[in-house]
Amino acid sequence: MDRINIPKNKSVLFFLGLKTIANFFIISGLAYLLWAFYPIIRLEATYFWQELTAEAQEDTGYQIARPVLLPEVEPQAPPLSVTPINTDNSIIIEDIDVNSPVVFNVSVTDKDEYFKALESGVAHANGTALPSKNPGNTYLFAHSTPNPLEIKRYGAVFTLLNKLDLDDRITIFKDGTRYDYRVTDQKIVKSFDVSPLLEKIDEPVLTLQTCDPPGIP
């Protein structure tokens, strides 16, 4: 059998070309993964940095699927560290980097309706109280997900809800009026347990609900 001799310089160029192509695909793959997971990385990094720069707080020992929040009594609410996305219908939770529109009066039984609302951020359950100083349960829900593609699609702003601590502040804007709440209770309930939605409340309460762990129905 005849041998094929490849000149040394051509052989080196050939293998350098293969190495360059391989490196290109590796770097491209890493860049894609970084792009895909950037939303989760950013949220986690922001929360971690805030924890490092804040005073140490006692661990509550809860994973939060449903924080219940009571309006605080303050003569003047402190300024926010972020500009609200709007002052008509929105929610701000500074500790977990939430600044999102709220779609009010969304049916919780019409899947198409609430999925459409969740494309814009946070949904308010139709039939529950609107933010005010009157007694009632204002019930908001949004996605949480470990899937970065769903974060991009639905703006899953409650992904870090389980990072909240007791006494953290939540701010709601409704028709130009600001309402401030603080976390006073945290619970995890079964997916079929609708008591957080239906329970009777004799004081103004804000309830936030999402999946826990993120993405688990």
Side-chain angles (χ1 to χ4, degrees), residues 3-211:
R3 293 183 178 180
I4 299 176
N5 294 320
I6 301 177
K8 185 175 182 181
N9 59 338
K10 290 186 178 181
S11 177
V12 171
L13 290 176
F14 175 76
F15 286 108
L16 284 177
L18 287 180
K19 184 177 181 181
T20 300
I21 294 172
N23 288 338
F24 171 78
F25 282 110
I26 291 172
I27 294 172
S28 297
L30 291 174
Y32 174 79
L33 289 175
L34 181 62
W35 170 82
F37 286 94
Y38 171 75
I40 292 177
I41 295 172
R42 182 181 65 83
L43 288 173
E44 292 288 350
T46 299
Y47 174 77
F48 180 72
W49 176 252
Q50 290 172 346
E51 286 291 290
L52 286 179
T53 56
E55 295 182 0
Q57 296 180 356
E58 182 180 357
D59 188 359
T60 63
Y62 287 92
Q63 285 185 310
I64 303 170
R66 182 224 168 205
V68 182
L69 311 142
L70 297 178
E72 59 192 16
V73 179
E74 291 184 356
Q76 184 176 359
L80 297 167
S81 62
V82 297
T83 301
I85 195 166
N86 70 67
T87 56
D88 293 323
N89 306 293
S90 64
I91 178 172
I92 293 176
I93 311 176
E94 295 171 289
D95 291 285
I96 56 173
D97 197 27
V98 168
N99 186 5
S100 171
V102 176
V103 181
F104 282 93
N105 298 317
V106 176
S107 171
V108 297
T109 58
D110 187 329
K111 185 175 181 179
D112 291 336
E113 182 176 336
Y114 67 70
F115 263 81
K116 182 178 180 180
L118 291 173
E119 290 178 357
S120 302
V122 177
H124 163 260
N126 187 34
T128 67
L130 296 173
S132 74
K133 296 181 179 180
N134 299 320
N137 181 16
T138 302
Y139 191 94
L140 305 182
F141 60 99
H143 283 293
S144 70
T145 176
N147 186 336
L149 297 180
E150 288 188 358
I151 289 178
K152 292 176 183 297
R153 180 181 179 188
Y154 296 120
V157 297
F158 281 178
T159 294
L160 293 183
L161 196 64
N162 60 1
K163 303 295 187 182
L164 285 177
D165 290 318
L166 294 178
D167 207 41
D168 283 347
R169 180 190 300 270
I170 284 81
T171 299
I172 302 291
F173 283 95
K174 180 71 172 75
D175 297 331
T177 300
R178 173 177 168 175
Y179 301 91
D180 285 273
Y181 302 79
R182 287 191 182 276
V183 179
T184 59
D185 190 21
Q186 307 161 343
K187 296 180 181 179
I188 298 176
V189 298
K190 300 294 185 181
S191 59
F192 54 80
D193 185 350
V194 296
S195 61
L197 179 63
L198 301 178
E199 63 183 325
K200 300 298 181 182
I201 303 293
D202 58 1
E203 54 193 340
V205 170
L206 173 66
T207 300
L208 307 183
Q209 188 168 37
T210 191
C211 300

